[in-house]
Amino acid sequence: MASSMVASSLSRTRSALESLFAPATVAVVGATEREGSVGRTILENLVHSSYRGQVFAVNPKHSELLGVKCYPTVATLPEPVDLAVIATPAVTVPGVVRECVAAGARSAIVISAGFKERGAEGVELERLIQAELRRGSMRLVGPNCLGMMNPSIGLNATFAHDLARTGNVAFLSQSGALLTAVLDWSLREQVGFSAIVSTGSMLDVDWGDLISFYGEDPQTKSILLYVESVADARSFLSAAREVTLSKPIIVIKAGRTEAASKAASSHTGAMTGSDDVFDAALRRCGVLRVQSIADLFYMAEVLSKQPRPRGPRLTIVTNAGGPGVLATDALIPNGGELASLSEDSLRALNAFLPSHWSHANPIDILGDAGAEHYGKAVEIAIADPGSDGLLVILAPQGMTDPAEVARRLAPYAQGRGKPVLASWMGGPAVAEGEAILNAAGIPTFAYPDTAARAFDYMWSYSSHLRALYETPALTASGTDSRSRVRKAKKLVDRTLATGRTLLTEVESKELLSLYGIPCVPTRVARTADQAVAYAAEFGYPAVLKVYSETITHKTDVGGVELDLSNAVAVRKAFRSIQSSVVSKAGEGAFQGVTVQPMVRLESYELILGSNVDPVFGPVILFGSGGQLVEVYRDRALALPPLNMTLALRPHGTHQNLRCASGSSRPQSRKPGSPQSRTSCLQRACGRTAADCRN
């Protein structure tokens, strides 16, 4: 019963969205005869394009506009329309939406601006619109948007003059101005779209609706998003996680910096949220994030033409050393690696290349290399088992025929299971070669560093998708979980009852122990005699730390004494901590000390914590700890619950974290196995963060 109800609801939703994005009938509410007005421009676009659906105009002041019969209200239209495009003043929009719902309109686009981006008055207008929508099943895009295009049916329901070319990319954007710029560029570059949608403020139709719809659209091969904010994180993540398994979703997000975040907020009227958390959310659902508009379209092309790499190792074949070095510089900082050539590959290359070739990757076959040398080098490079992808660079030189080299490379476009990218550097001299490669399905780039970044993006996307095929597993049984939550809640409630929101060190360790995380045994000593007794019980050397319900950073107040070898040292340390804390934080801040055994580990100091993001919910933080943790900000974020792949991934982002994971560390440091560290991360992050949300 429940599943059939859900299926019925989804079917109705899709039907409404099909009416919105592929309407058979369209009414322009607010159409006018005034040149340059939004209402006239939209009506012109619908009437003068190749759209074959029925178009109506709605304006009580006219009987006809641009040869189209004009009706005074939506209620007087001869039939319920699939789509109403509303371009009237903001204060009138709630009333127009009421008419549309009552008349049976299936969907609407509100072009009008002046809503929540304008403040409290606009927020109230949006509330009124939502109240009207709840009276029926009509879906609504906007307000404050450009409109939408469906080039395959010739539909241009926007106030941009030109209709996009037909293609297989759906471009969904919260910025209408960006869409018009991209549209102009696409017409020059002959790039096509399956759809262009300006989302506006997303009062009703949200990211999840759009991603799900175009995820099922057979004409759409990839989905590109320009995002400023996400209101319904669950809808976004759920839809993206499902769709990205079958077609790539590529995102560029505004608001990476604090200044840009404020600008985005004033633009859309919505908070953009933490950029680091947004990154973590995208990784979790398999979405690829890029940092430039150019990369947005590069990656749509690359992922549609070439297989994803199985690893981060790239082999570079070039006829010029400089471009190979530039490609390497771009590759390494973003997670890529230079593949190491096997002995077999080195012998094969030595057999035909001049003795002064590079003898390493990048494979510099030298400036006089002809098509034959290129062909042989590419065959060897792509067959090397230690390589996950190939970048071929050509700089035009007198002895090299760019078109013939391209013909030699073209057969490797498919069938080897590894991506092949090319950078034919130059202008007219390499144009024919570029055309040959593009026709064969090998993406070309004007510069080798751009191509190397594209490979990094491909590997990042592969890595994200790999995690989607693993199911997070929490090992606690239902009974154990309920017992754990009860005990944790009791501890937290006890702390809150005292007026505190910060756990002491002892309380923190008690909470961690409930989740199976090993902690150093710790006792609270109120007097020096108690401290000596506990130190003797644990065995020397010992550690004393200030015990306080108000002090967070113990070192700042002289509250830590290490490596205490006997009772005399413990008594002296107790007095020293007491004196320092009282002088720096006041008499009430000192409530005794904690006593612990001194633990010596050749390892790293780490920070592990969680927080609840207002948009995406529980978030895990893992990073390099210590006194300067807030200065270095050497950390990564992830969304719980975690599986093995996800738990290993967060600490591969920064240098210190890679050291902690064992993937890149000084030989003197010997951390435990990745599985043991990951198991701890899973327990800490997966269970604790999820329980804290509850």
Side-chain angles (χ1 to χ4, degrees):
M1 171 73 82
S3 60
S4 63
M5 291 176 64
V6 171
S8 176
S9 175
L10 292 174
S11 177
R12 289 195 301 272
T13 296
R14 178 151 191 90
S15 176
L17 293 179
E18 284 173 346
S19 297
L20 199 164
F21 298 123
T25 52
V26 182
V28 181
V29 185
T32 70
E33 63 180 356
R34 182 165 52 87
E35 289 283 351
S37 67
V38 171
R40 180 186 174 96
T41 303
I42 294 172
L43 187 61
E44 282 180 331
N45 288 340
L46 290 167
V47 172
H48 296 155
S49 68
S50 58
Y51 177 61
R52 293 294 174 260
Q54 181 71 46
V55 179
F56 303 105
V58 177
N59 189 323
K61 298 179 181 179
H62 299 276
S63 59
E64 183 180 293
L65 286 169
L66 303 179
V68 175
K69 185 175 180 180
C70 196
Y71 295 83
T73 64
V74 175
T76 59
L77 290 171
E79 61 182 281
V81 294
D82 285 337
L83 172 63
V85 183
I86 302 171
T88 63
V91 293
T92 69
V93 171
V96 174
V97 170
R98 183 188 310 116
E99 287 186 29
C100 291
V101 172
R106 296 176 181 85
S107 64
I109 297 175
V110 178
I111 305 294
S112 317
F115 294 89
K116 65 183 176 185
E117 72 275 8
R118 294 288 300 275
E121 183 180 349
V123 171
E124 175 61 15
L125 289 175
E126 290 195 358
R127 188 193 66 78
L128 294 173
I129 294 172
Q130 287 177 317
E132 299 300 336
L133 290 174
R134 285 194 289 269
R135 298 175 185 272
S137 58
M138 187 179 81
R139 302 304 306 272
L140 182 143
V141 167
N144 188 17
C145 70
L146 177 74
M148 61 83 56
M149 295 182 185
N150 183 343
S152 67
I153 62 172
L155 177 68
N156 181 5
T158 76
F159 54 91
H161 285 289
D162 297 311
L163 178 64
R165 295 170 59 90
T166 300
N168 57 21
V169 175
F171 188 24
L172 319 175
S173 171
Q174 280 184 300
S175 168
L178 178 63
L179 279 182
T180 59
V182 167
L183 174 63
D184 191 52
W185 166 85
S186 71
L187 294 171
R188 185 188 67 204
E189 297 296 323
Q190 298 188 347
V191 174
F193 297 91
S194 58
I196 287 181
V197 181
S198 171
T199 67
S201 299
M202 300 188 123
L203 186 61
D204 176 38
V205 174
D206 64 9
W207 289 120
D209 294 319
L210 294 169
I211 291 169
S212 294
F213 181 83
Y214 287 107
E216 295 183 15
D217 177 28
Q219 296 182 16
T220 298
K221 303 303 180 186
S222 57
I223 302 172
L224 311 186
L225 310 181
Y226 168 79
V227 177
E228 290 181 355
S229 63
V230 175
D232 188 340
R234 178 170 295 183
S235 171
F236 175 89
L237 295 176
S238 177
R241 182 182 177 89
E242 180 178 352
V243 170
T244 196
L245 292 171
S246 59
K247 58 183 68 174
I249 302 173
I250 308 167
V251 171
I252 181 170
K253 182 182 181 294
R256 281 184 292 162
T257 63
E258 183 178 353
S261 182
K262 289 179 180 178
S265 176
S266 64
H267 178 215
T268 64
M271 293 304 294
T272 58
S274 164
D275 194 65
D276 290 338
V277 175
F278 185 80
D279 258 347
L282 294 188
R283 290 194 300 270
R284 185 58 189 268
C285 61
V287 172
L288 174 63
R289 182 179 185 181
V290 298
Q291 303 300 337
S292 72
I293 297 173
D295 285 342
L296 198 66
F297 290 94
Y298 282 145
M299 294 315 300
E301 177 191 13
V302 169
L303 292 172
S304 69
K305 289 182 176 180
Q306 288 293 308
R308 298 189 303 271
R310 295 188 176 93
R313 302 166 299 180
L314 179 66
T315 302
I316 300 171
V317 175
T318 178
N319 69 339
V325 173
L326 290 174
T328 303
D329 281 343
L331 176 75
I332 304 302
N334 296 304
E337 302 173 8
L338 279 180
S340 297
L341 299 176
S342 68
E343 290 298 325
D344 288 343
S345 295
L346 288 169
R347 281 194 294 270
L349 291 166
N350 283 330
F352 71 93
L353 289 175
S355 59
H356 47 290
W357 76 278
S358 61
H359 296 278
N361 184 20
I363 301 172
D364 182 359
I365 59 177
L366 306 178
D368 61 352
E372 183 178 356
H373 276 192
Y374 258 108
K376 289 181 178 180
V378 166
E379 174 64 32
I380 294 165
I382 204 168
D384 193 309
S387 175
D388 299 308
L390 179 66
L391 168 59
V392 182
I393 302 171
L394 182 144
Q397 302 188 39
M399 297 74 70
T400 303
D401 182 347
E404 183 58 31
V405 174
R407 293 187 187 95
R408 292 293 187 106
L409 181 58
Y412 298 97
Q414 305 293 335
R416 300 300 180 100
K418 300 177 182 180
V420 178
L421 309 178
S423 176
W424 259 223
M425 302 173 64
V430 300
E432 183 183 357
E434 282 186 319
I436 293 169
L437 293 171
N438 286 324
I442 296 177
T444 61
F445 299 85
Y447 303 106
D449 52 341
T450 308
R453 283 196 300 273
F455 178 81
D456 281 338
Y457 280 134
M458 294 179 80
W459 164 237
S460 177
Y461 181 56
S462 292
S463 180
H464 296 349
L465 291 184
R466 180 179 300 174
L468 294 184
Y469 290 97
E470 287 191 20
T471 302
L474 302 181
T475 57
S477 67
T479 302
D480 291 343
S481 175
R482 288 191 294 272
S483 174
R484 180 188 69 228
V485 172
R486 281 196 302 271
K487 292 177 181 178
K489 186 176 185 303
K490 183 178 179 180
L491 189 157
V492 172
D493 287 345
R494 186 175 68 230
T495 303
L496 293 174
T498 67
R500 291 185 289 124
T501 57
L502 184 70
L503 297 176
T504 66
E505 178 187 2
V506 175
E507 291 166 337
S508 299
K509 289 178 177 177
E510 182 182 349
L511 182 64
L512 292 175
S513 296
L514 290 174
Y515 290 85
I517 300 170
C519 298
V520 177
T522 303
R523 304 286 292 273
V524 177
R526 306 290 182 175
T527 66
D529 288 341
Q530 280 186 329
V532 170
Y534 292 147
E537 179 183 328
F538 289 138
Y540 292 101
V543 172
L544 266 58
K545 300 178 184 178
V546 62
Y547 177 74
S548 174
E549 294 180 349
T550 58
I551 295 173
T552 304
H553 300 292
K554 301 176 181 65
T555 306
D556 292 349
V557 294
V560 179
E561 294 283 347
L562 305 175
D563 206 13
L564 307 174
S565 58
N566 52 49
V568 173
V570 169
R571 291 183 185 277
K572 181 179 178 182
F574 185 96
R575 292 192 296 269
S576 175
I577 291 174
Q578 183 178 27
S579 174
S580 178
V581 170
V582 169
S583 66
K584 294 179 180 179
E587 186 75 36
F590 181 80
Q591 297 168 273
V593 299
T594 61
V595 184
Q596 308 163 35
M598 181 77 181
V599 178
R600 299 184 186 277
L601 290 176
E602 289 295 327
S603 190
Y604 293 85
E605 189 168 2
L606 303 175
I607 183 172
L608 178 65
S610 69
N611 193 15
V612 179
D613 182 78
V615 177
F616 291 101
V619 180
I620 304 307
L621 179 145
F622 176 76
S624 177
Q627 297 179 36
L628 299 179
V629 61
E630 294 176 2
V631 176
Y632 291 131
R633 296 178 61 82
D634 185 22
R635 80 286 187 276
L637 302 178
L639 272 59
L642 301 180
N643 55 35
M644 188 66 74
T645 299
L646 292 168
L648 282 170
R649 182 183 299 157
H651 45 276
T653 309
H654 300 276
Q655 185 60 44
N656 285 351
L657 303 189
R658 287 197 295 270
C659 289
S661 71
S663 61
S664 174
R665 60 180 173 84
Q667 291 186 0
S668 61
R669 302 293 180 96
K670 299 179 180 180
S673 71
Q675 288 74 20
S676 65
R677 294 188 304 278
T678 301
S679 177
C680 182
L681 272 175
Q682 283 181 280
R683 290 196 296 270
C685 303
R687 301 178 193 169
T688 313
D691 287 355
C692 284
R693 181 175 192 175
N694 297 330

